[in-house]
Every structure is written in structure tokens, then in C-alpha cells.
Amino acid sequence: MADSNAPFHPIIYVRGYAMTTREQDETTADPFCGFNLGSTVYRATPDKAKPAKKFVFESPVLRLMTDFGYGDVYENGLDIMDSEWEGSIACRSIVIYRYYEQASALLGSGQTPDISHFARGLSELILRVRELVCANAANQLAPEDFRCVLVAHSMGGLVCRAFLQNPELGDEQARASVDKVFTYATPHNGIEVAGMNVPQWLSAADMNNFNRENMARYLKLEALYQKTRRVDWLPEEAFPSERFFCMIGSNRSDYDAALGLSRAFAGHGSDGLVRIENASVWGVNARGKLSSPCATAYTYRAHSGYFGIVNSEEAYQNLTRFLFGDVRVDIWLDIDSVQLPPEIQGKAVNALYQFELLASPRGKRWYLTRRMAEEDSVACRSHQELVDPSNKDARSIYLSTAFLANRARVNPARPSLAYGVTLGVRVPDYEVERKFWPDTHYEGGYLFHDTVVVEMVPPQTPGEDWTASFGWQSSSAGRATESLAYKTLKTGKRVMTVAFGGSSAPGIAGRLRFVVSAWNA
């Protein structure tokens, strides 16, 4: 029997790396391993005479409980892996994978097992959760129909990938039970220290878990690593890339670990520990060719701490829309042409184009994704890549994925789902004959900068089709006034495109491409 509770499957939280014995003990002493931490930030008010308002995020655990009716699985002081625990659990359960207990001096041996051991333990936990969910008659669920979701922070995402990608590290039935995976700030391509990957010999505090050669072994990616020297690949035969989400932080300044040394070594373009370029995953098919990017979103948050990525409204909204939303929108940018300033046309030019993106749903006070030049989270292409007619792939740029939810509409009586997408293309630092060209250069300028509102109305009755409209805010503020055409692919996905830019010089022209599909249908 199909799961009538879908998409509200059990959520298994897999926490991140704990470096020191003290951190491992603190993790073990916390029933929710940090998933229960919230944050309080401030927002400016229109009245300058009044103080800034507090903006409180209560924590992922509490919000999942209050917003979606989830509950924990602790009972009489025991958790479900305890031999004395009896009973069954609901589908809407939050389960904490407490894998650091065996490494803790409080509850374990004080010796940390390797990451492969943690992956096998995750497999055992999933099978235990399946047993207890299927034992609950109210769930009306057979074992073969059971599904769960994995939500992981930092190294926890590598534990999940090792379990999913390496057949030696888990049970096949446990892997088949995973419906979706969401990672916060996971170093999918390892960790850089002063520009170099963590060395293989650095075994102290298990830091070599983030060495790419070691990662290639426990992720079962040896062949791909030899070809690409990267390990941020998700083979489609291991897990579908469309069911995997990467949440990426871009604020290194608020990460205080190791008295600030971590952010100093990680450098710009990081969350204070993980470099932005190493925090996402791409799907590959059986031939080792790219299939599709995993869903990705960016937020100006640090790796962890008071202003960390896990305890943020932005990450929570992406999490819940990915788990429970109704519509998926993959945002792409297709470049048709770039025009150089007239004075340097025909010359050998070097230039780097930076593509910014802000995406926000209607009526909300936060962004679903935020990619800004000052935060080092932009997508980039060189001038040579964009003018090379044989390099079509470089002119097609994946920007982010947004999930939308009917339940989150500001006006429930209004059936449309709407969001705003701000696209900015920075004026590059043109170099002619390897020298900076200063003429007509103004720092921070844009070749293109505007916001488009896209409003979609999903089918309201069987047999009805989608309708969609758009409007550039430079001409119709707050409104989507023009009809948005689309084509339907064989997969059932709909592709909508909006042209931008023009033929002015300097300038850029292309199309925003929205690939829209029903989610959790």
C-alpha cells in the first residue's frame, strides 16, 4: 500500500563534524545534537527613531513540530536504538542519528571510528525506523513502501553519501528507503586549508575525512576522481540527483571556530569552513557524464554558530519546501551574446562576467536563494567561454532551484504561486593585452540589472492546463502583466523563458529559463 502520509516521511537528522573530545561530549549530551538551536537577529524599521526589531527563528526542530506536526521519538528517557525501547512511531517523527556517542568520553570509548563505520550505523538506524513505523497500525504501511528523508549538516552529508554511494557500507533495502536528502554546508568536494586540500596524512581529529583521495574511496568514486580530481559527484545509479538538495552558506565573517583561524584558512568564497565551490553536488550517469545539478540554494550565513546556516529562516524555508512543496523551479541562464565597449572591439580581451541572483517568494521577508558578488557566491564565465561558438555548455548556466508551496500563499484564496527573480550581470574588469582597461570603468556597475516577477497558476481541475505571466519591475512594479509561453518536455516538465538585455555596447543578451515541474505529486 502506498504511503498515505507522503510526503511527510520520518526525518533523520545527521549532524556534522565534532573536532575535539569536548565537542563530541557536548554533542552527545544534547538530545538533538544541535538541531534544536535557534537564533535571534535584527531587522531595520522604517522609523529611524525606533530601535531595530528582533526577528526570532525558534529552531528547525520546533518549527517542524509546530508547522507540520512532527514529534520526537524519545520515550521514558530512551531512544529507539536502546534495547529496552518498546512500541512504534508515527510517520511524522524526527529521529536524531547520534553517531558520536561511541566516540564520546561520556557515553562511549573515547575513540572515534572512521566515517565508513558511521555510514553503516546510518543504514542500521534507517532499518530500525522502518521497523517501528511499519509496526504502527495507524500508518498502514508495508516495509517495501516505507520512505524516510535524510537531513544532514556538514560532515553528516558525507556520511549520507557514503551510505548511499558505497554498496559495502549499508543495506540495499535501507538505501531504497531514502526518499530525499538535504545537506547544509557539506564539503562535498573536501575542505581547503590555505588553498590546499586537507592532506591525507593529517589523521589528527579525523581531519583526513575531508581529503579527496580518502573521500574517493569511501564514496566509491575512485575512477571519476582519477579523471576529474573532484569527488562532488552523485552517480544516478546510487541516488537520483533530483532528490538531493545542497544548501550553501556564503558568510565567513560570522564563523568563530578556532578563534577565527578557520575562516582565515578557508578564505574568501566560503562559509568560514567550506568553500562555496565545494559545497554542491552534480549527478553523473553510468557513463560518467554530467546528468543534472542537484538542487542548490545560497544564503548569507556562516557554517555554524549563532548565525549559522542550520538555525536560519532561509535554510528552513528551503528545507520544508523541498520536503513538502508543490512546485519545483530550476533557474537557468542562457547567454545569446555579449558586446564589448566599442573602443576595444576586435582586440584580444580578457574579462570575467559575474551573474548575481536573488529569488524571493511573494509576501516573504527572506530570499530562497541569494548569490551576490560581494559575498563571492556568483556564477562566473570568462569572455572566451561566452564567445566560443563551440562551447554551448558554458553559455548555459545553472543558477539555483526554488521550491514553492501552496500552503505558503499569503492569500489562500489566490491560486497563483509567485516569486521575484533579480538578475544582475556585473560590468567586468576588461583587460586588453593583459592590462586593466580603465576607460569608462565604474566599479560596481551593471551590464544588466532588473527584477522579473513570475506568477504561475497550477491546474485547478483535472485536465486544466497551467497559466503563467511575467513582468520586469522596471516597467511594471509588483505586477506580472505579460503572458508567459512555455513548452512541455517529454518528461512532463514545462520550460518557460524570459528574454533580457539587448544589443547595446557594452552589454549582454540572453534568456532566463525556468524549468517547472510538479513536486510531491
Side-chain angles (χ1 to χ4, degrees):
M1 181 182 292
D3 185 356
S4 60
N5 291 286
F8 300 100
H9 307 297
I11 295 171
I12 298 177
Y13 174 65
V14 187
R15 71 146 289 141
Y17 174 63
M19 182 176 185
T20 66
T21 300
R22 179 178 177 180
E23 289 173 345
Q24 292 174 356
D25 290 345
E26 288 175 349
T27 293
T28 303
D30 183 345
F32 295 98
C33 295
F35 200 47
N36 53 320
L37 298 179
S39 64
T40 305
V41 296
Y42 290 87
R43 298 182 65 95
T45 61
D47 188 347
K48 294 181 180 179
K50 294 182 178 180
K53 289 183 178 180
K54 287 187 295 185
F55 187 82
V56 176
F57 175 68
E58 304 95 312
S59 81
V61 165
L62 190 55
R63 287 288 292 275
L64 285 165
M65 290 178 174
T66 57
D67 293 352
F68 298 98
Y70 273 76
D72 66 63
V73 296
Y74 297 121
E75 188 174 291
N76 297 322
L78 304 176
D79 82 355
I80 60 173
M81 298 303 286
D82 193 292
S83 60
E84 296 183 19
W85 200 98
E86 297 179 354
S88 62
I89 61 177
C91 280
R92 300 197 194 200
S93 293
I94 297 172
V95 180
I96 308 299
Y97 180 26
R98 299 175 56 82
Y99 64 87
Y100 265 123
E101 279 191 357
Q102 51 202 309
S104 165
L106 282 176
L107 297 175
S109 65
Q111 301 296 316
T112 305
D114 63 27
I115 202 166
S116 299
H117 185 88
F118 295 152
R120 293 187 184 95
L122 178 59
S123 177
E124 294 170 5
L125 177 61
I126 291 172
L127 294 179
R128 174 62 169 160
V129 173
R130 183 184 70 166
E131 173 192 350
L132 296 177
V133 166
C134 295
N136 188 332
N139 294 328
Q140 299 183 338
L141 197 61
E144 60 269 21
D145 297 318
F146 167 81
R147 296 293 182 271
C148 64
V149 297
L150 304 179
V151 177
H153 175 231
S154 192
M155 191 185 79
L158 299 181
V159 173
C160 294
R161 285 182 60 201
F163 154 68
L164 291 170
Q165 295 179 211
N166 191 334
E168 300 170 7
L169 302 183
D171 184 273
E172 183 178 348
Q173 293 184 14
R175 281 191 290 272
S177 297
V178 178
D179 184 65
K180 301 184 185 81
V181 180
F182 184 99
T183 65
Y184 302 93
T186 290
H188 289 294
N189 191 47
I191 286 180
E192 311 286 333
V193 177
M196 297 183 295
N197 185 219
V198 170
Q200 195 172 22
W201 51 261
L202 187 56
S203 59
D206 299 293
M207 284 292 291
N208 57 5
N209 280 335
F210 309 109
N211 170 267
R212 292 188 189 105
E213 290 188 23
N214 286 346
M215 292 174 67
R217 279 194 288 272
Y218 66 70
L219 294 175
K220 213 66 175 174
L221 290 173
E222 293 97 329
L224 270 173
Y225 175 68
Q226 290 302 319
K227 292 179 180 179
T228 65
R229 312 310 290 180
R230 299 186 68 87
V231 289
D232 46 358
W233 309 117
L234 181 65
E236 292 286 353
E237 64 268 23
F239 193 78
S241 59
E242 286 199 342
R243 314 294 288 180
F244 203 106
F245 193 113
C246 301
M247 193 76 210
I248 301 175
S250 61
N251 176 14
R252 63 188 285 270
S253 61
D254 281 334
Y255 190 57
D256 292 329
L259 301 176
L261 286 176
S262 173
R263 63 172 180 252
F265 282 117
H268 292 283
S270 74
D271 61 10
L273 179 63
V274 179
R275 294 194 60 79
I276 293 169
E277 63 188 14
N278 291 334
S280 57
V281 178
W282 284 75
V284 291
N285 60 28
R287 300 186 304 277
K289 302 293 184 182
L290 287 179
S291 55
S292 61
C294 296
T296 305
Y298 300 75
T299 183
Y300 189 60
R301 284 286 183 149
H303 187 78
S304 61
Y306 291 119
F307 303 107
I309 192 169
V310 176
N311 51 328
S312 70
E313 186 73 36
E314 298 89 345
Y316 172 77
Q317 293 295 338
N318 275 283
L319 169 67
T320 55
R321 281 165 165 74
F322 173 64
L323 297 186
F324 316 128
D326 305 290
V327 176
R328 174 184 180 135
V329 183
D330 296 310
I331 306 172
W332 291 76
L333 190 66
D334 298 318
I335 304 301
D336 295 329
S337 64
V338 291
Q339 297 82 37
L340 294 170
E343 298 90 334
I344 59 175
Q345 290 181 6
K347 297 182 179 180
V349 174
N350 289 327
L352 185 70
Y353 296 86
Q354 300 179 80
F355 301 94
E356 298 179 337
L357 179 75
L358 297 170
S360 56
R362 178 175 55 200
K364 308 303 181 184
R365 292 184 173 186
W366 31 260
Y367 295 111
L368 282 173
T369 192
R370 174 188 175 102
R371 306 189 68 173
M372 299 294 292
E374 288 80 6
E375 297 161 14
D376 302 311
S377 55
V378 289
C380 297
R381 290 293 187 274
S382 70
H383 183 73
Q384 286 75 16
E385 288 175 316
L386 295 184
V387 298
D388 181 357
S390 65
N391 195 352
K392 294 182 180 180
D393 290 342
R395 298 198 300 275
S396 183
I397 307 167
Y398 170 70
L399 294 178
S400 268
T401 297
F403 292 87
L404 306 176
N406 286 314
R407 61 172 175 77
R409 291 199 301 261
V410 176
N411 181 356
R414 190 173 180 179
S416 64
L417 296 169
Y419 57 97
V421 174
T422 299
L423 174 65
V425 185
R426 290 292 184 104
V427 175
D429 294 341
Y430 298 110
E431 292 183 357
V432 180
E433 297 178 355
R434 297 186 179 182
K435 294 181 180 179
F436 171 60
W437 183 71
D439 296 6
T440 70
H441 177 84
Y442 299 91
E443 186 67 20
Y446 286 90
L447 292 176
F448 179 85
H449 192 270
D450 204 348
T451 300
V452 62
V453 166
V454 178
E455 189 165 1
M456 301 179 297
V457 180
Q460 302 300 299
T461 58
E464 192 178 33
D465 214 340
W466 290 63
T467 60
S469 57
F470 76 96
W472 288 106
Q473 299 308 277
S474 57
S475 58
S476 58
R479 294 287 183 269
T481 57
E482 299 183 48
S483 178
L484 183 57
Y486 63 84
K487 64 178 180 180
T488 303
L489 305 178
K490 292 181 180 179
T491 58
K493 297 179 180 180
R494 289 160 175 80
V495 179
M496 308 175 183
T497 58
V498 178
F500 73 92
S503 58
S504 61
I508 191 165
R511 290 153 289 126
L512 272 169
R513 173 162 47 99
F514 304 101
V515 182
V516 183
S517 55
W519 190 246
N520 288 320

